[in-house]
């Protein structure tokens, strides 16, 4: 796998896609044409990935078209701040990699405020009695989703930006709780856990987007690998690195048997054969941060296998095909975060040092 060549092919394609989708915030694509969540659902949890992808390309190439597309989407996202009830635990996905990257690169005041607002929204979800950041709204008082580990880097950033340790404190208490309640002894993870909002003990676990209770949803596994790796990077606390490696070892033991591309759920029946390329792309990004050759080797194997599912044609919009929403959702479709993480992994392998999270 020649990563420089792959990067060039991504750039050839995305520099055209950036122009075509300049006024959109895509989630998926239909017949090779991006949809537009900016019009249909501005608070949708994936809306940071398009500007985030544009920032990866900007950082990696310096091309202004990417910066323009990223900033256009960032401005559109302001409408989401007006829908308080529509916002949720995924504000890190939405702003840390959009306005957050813009601010880290250019120090613009509006980008700083957007990112700090998002951090405050996330911090305000912290339950001090239970010791966790709650997921979702409504009556899900104690639900915590493994994906939350990817949102808390926003808090590590806010702690530094404000010079106020509260944000990191909240992030670490949450990470410690997820480590205990979501990571199982064999390294597989629970997707959703219901915790008692008064004392934080585990009440119940759910299958979430996986096959069922006790199953093993591969994208959740990938969120755990990369999420704990990021908590280690931001805090230097070795227990988070150990957790990321434990989740990674389990993931690798599952995918090395089946050609490195993840099935949607590692514990679902063999048929129907459902795969999720997004899980593999996210896991590859996490594996590359674990600091051992065996993990880098696994990431390379994974990305090589994903090449079979890439569409490098500049005339179509999506890059990574065959993602999955959930075991009981839509399958084998392009999803914007698949493009984001595949591109981020290739960026890392070409020597890119900017940490987008
Ligand atoms: N729960 C967000 C995801 O689909 O990964």
């Amino acid at each position: 796998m020649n990563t420089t060549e792959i990067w060039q092919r991504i750039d050839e394609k995305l520099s055209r896609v950036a122009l075509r989708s300049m006024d959109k915030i895509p989630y998926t694509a239909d017949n090779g044409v991006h949809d537009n969540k900016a019009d249909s659902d501005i608070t949708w949890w994936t809306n940071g990935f398009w500007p985030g992808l544009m920032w990866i390309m900007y950082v990696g190439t310096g091309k202004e078209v990417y910066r323009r597309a990223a900033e256009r989407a960032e401005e559109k996202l302001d409408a989401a701040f007006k829908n308080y009830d529509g916002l949720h635990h995924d504000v890190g996905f939405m702003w840390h990699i959009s306005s957050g990257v813009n601010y880290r690169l250019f120090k613009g005041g509006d980008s700083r405020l957007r990112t700090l607002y998002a951090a405050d929204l996330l911090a305000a979800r912290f339950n001090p009695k239970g010791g966790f950041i709650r997921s979702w709204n409504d009556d899900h008082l104690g639900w915590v989703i493994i994906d939350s580990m990817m949102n808390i880097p926003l808090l590590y950033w806010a702690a530094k930006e404000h010079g106020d340790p509260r944000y990191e404190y909240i992030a670490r208490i949450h990470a410690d709780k997820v480590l205990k309640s979501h990571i199982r002894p064999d390294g597989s993870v629970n997707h959703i856990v219901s915790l008692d909002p008064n004392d934080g003990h585990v009440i119940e676990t759910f299958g979430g987007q996986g096959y069922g209770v006790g199953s093993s949803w591969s994208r959740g596994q990938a969120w755990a690998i990369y999420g704990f790796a990021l908590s280690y990077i931001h805090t230097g606390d070795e227990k988070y690195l150990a957790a990321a490696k434990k989740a990674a070892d389990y993931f690798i033991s599952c995918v090395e048997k089946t050609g490195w591309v993840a099935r949607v759920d590692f514990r679902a029946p063999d048929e129907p054969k459902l795969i999720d390329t997004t899980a593999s792309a996210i896991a590859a990004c996490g594996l590359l941060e674990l600091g051992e050759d065996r993990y880098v080797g696994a990431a390379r194997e994974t990305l090589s296998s994903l090449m079979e599912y890439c569409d490098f044609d500049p005339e179509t919009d999506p890059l990574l095909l065959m993602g999955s929403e959930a075991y009981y959702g839509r399958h084998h479709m392009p999803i914007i975060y698949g493009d984001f993480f595949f591109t981020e992994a290739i960026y890392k392998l070409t020597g890119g040092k900017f940490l987008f999270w």
Side-chain angles (χ1 to χ4, degrees):
M1 186 177 62
N2 180 335
T3 47
T4 306
E5 197 179 294
I6 297 169
W7 177 261
Q8 280 163 359
R9 291 177 76 187
I10 294 174
D11 180 31
E12 268 163 34
K13 176 179 178 112
L14 291 188
S15 54
R16 305 269 287 278
V17 180
L19 284 172
R20 278 200 301 273
S21 296
M22 180 67 72
D23 284 313
K24 296 180 177 177
I25 300 184
Y27 168 63
T28 183
D30 198 12
N31 287 322
V33 177
H34 273 153
D35 68 347
N36 183 13
K37 283 283 182 191
D39 286 347
S40 61
D41 188 358
I42 196 60
T43 58
W44 183 238
W45 73 277
T46 67
N47 283 351
F49 286 106
W50 167 251
L53 174 63
M54 294 293 98
W55 281 126
I56 297 172
M57 296 310 298
Y58 176 78
V59 171
T61 67
K63 289 185 182 170
E64 280 299 318
V65 64
Y66 294 124
R67 181 177 175 181
R68 258 192 301 137
E71 292 187 337
R72 191 83 61 98
E74 180 183 328
E75 280 162 25
K76 285 181 192 296
L77 273 178
D78 282 351
F81 282 126
K82 297 198 182 106
N83 185 351
Y84 178 83
D85 289 327
L87 286 175
H88 39 62
H89 54 274
D90 281 331
V91 291
F93 280 134
M94 291 176 72
W95 280 285
H96 189 51
I97 52 173
S98 59
S99 58
V101 174
N102 194 352
Y103 176 65
R104 280 177 274 151
L105 290 173
F106 298 110
K107 302 290 170 215
D110 286 350
S111 295
R112 177 175 181 274
L113 290 182
R114 288 172 178 127
T115 318
L116 287 175
Y117 276 135
D120 282 0
L121 285 167
L122 189 58
R125 304 182 72 83
F126 182 61
N127 175 335
K129 283 189 90 182
F132 59 85
I133 297 168
R134 65 172 288 186
S135 301
W136 292 288
N137 301 324
D138 308 319
D139 58 351
H140 302 309
L141 291 180
W143 282 26
V144 175
I145 188 171
I146 189 75
D147 323 21
S148 60
M149 290 304 300
M150 290 299 293
N151 282 280
I152 58 175
L154 174 63
L155 299 180
Y156 296 127
W157 168 81
K160 288 206 181 78
E161 183 63 20
H162 276 306
D164 182 338
R166 286 177 305 158
Y167 295 89
E168 178 172 339
Y169 183 75
I170 289 172
R172 291 186 67 152
I173 301 244
H174 179 79
D176 291 352
K177 177 67 78 181
V178 172
L179 207 165
K180 283 207 188 85
S181 57
H182 287 64
I183 302 212
R184 303 175 184 136
D186 66 356
S188 67
V189 303
N190 293 307
H191 181 205
I192 301 172
V193 178
S194 174
L195 301 167
D196 188 315
N198 288 304
D199 64 16
H201 81 268
V202 173
I203 298 174
E204 194 178 358
T205 65
F206 302 109
Q209 285 164 253
Y211 176 66
V213 177
S215 74
S216 177
W217 180 52
S218 61
R219 193 161 63 246
Q221 195 70 29
W223 292 138
I225 298 169
Y226 201 11
F228 277 105
L230 290 168
S231 271
Y232 170 65
I233 290 168
H234 287 289
T235 65
D237 191 329
E238 296 278 343
K239 72 171 174 270
Y240 300 137
L241 179 62
K245 287 183 178 177
K246 190 169 174 177
D249 290 341
Y250 171 83
F251 188 94
I252 291 168
S253 74
C254 294
V255 291
E256 68 188 352
K257 292 186 286 219
T258 58
W260 297 97
V261 176
R263 295 168 58 205
V264 170
D265 191 310
F266 295 128
R267 292 183 186 158
D270 287 345
E271 296 295 336
K273 184 173 182 287
L274 302 172
I275 65 166
D276 182 8
T277 55
T278 73
S280 294
I282 296 160
C285 284
L287 292 169
L288 289 172
E289 299 296 345
L290 299 185
E292 284 181 40
D293 288 350
R294 67 196 171 105
Y295 294 120
V296 175
R300 284 186 169 275
E301 294 282 3
T302 301
L303 293 163
S304 293
S305 299
L306 288 180
M307 287 292 287
E308 189 187 327
Y309 301 98
C310 282
D311 174 1
F312 292 104
D313 180 357
E315 300 307 322
T316 58
D317 294 343
L319 173 64
L320 184 63
L321 310 179
M322 302 290 276
S324 157
E325 286 184 322
Y327 191 84
Y328 301 103
R330 289 185 291 174
H331 297 288
H332 301 170
M333 59 193 276
I335 314 181
I336 192 66
Y337 45 81
D339 294 11
F340 177 98
F341 287 105
F342 181 79
T343 303
E344 188 189 2
I346 298 297
Y347 167 82
K348 287 179 200 269
L349 277 175
T350 54
K353 294 286 178 253
F354 190 91
L355 183 64
F356 293 89
W357 296 92

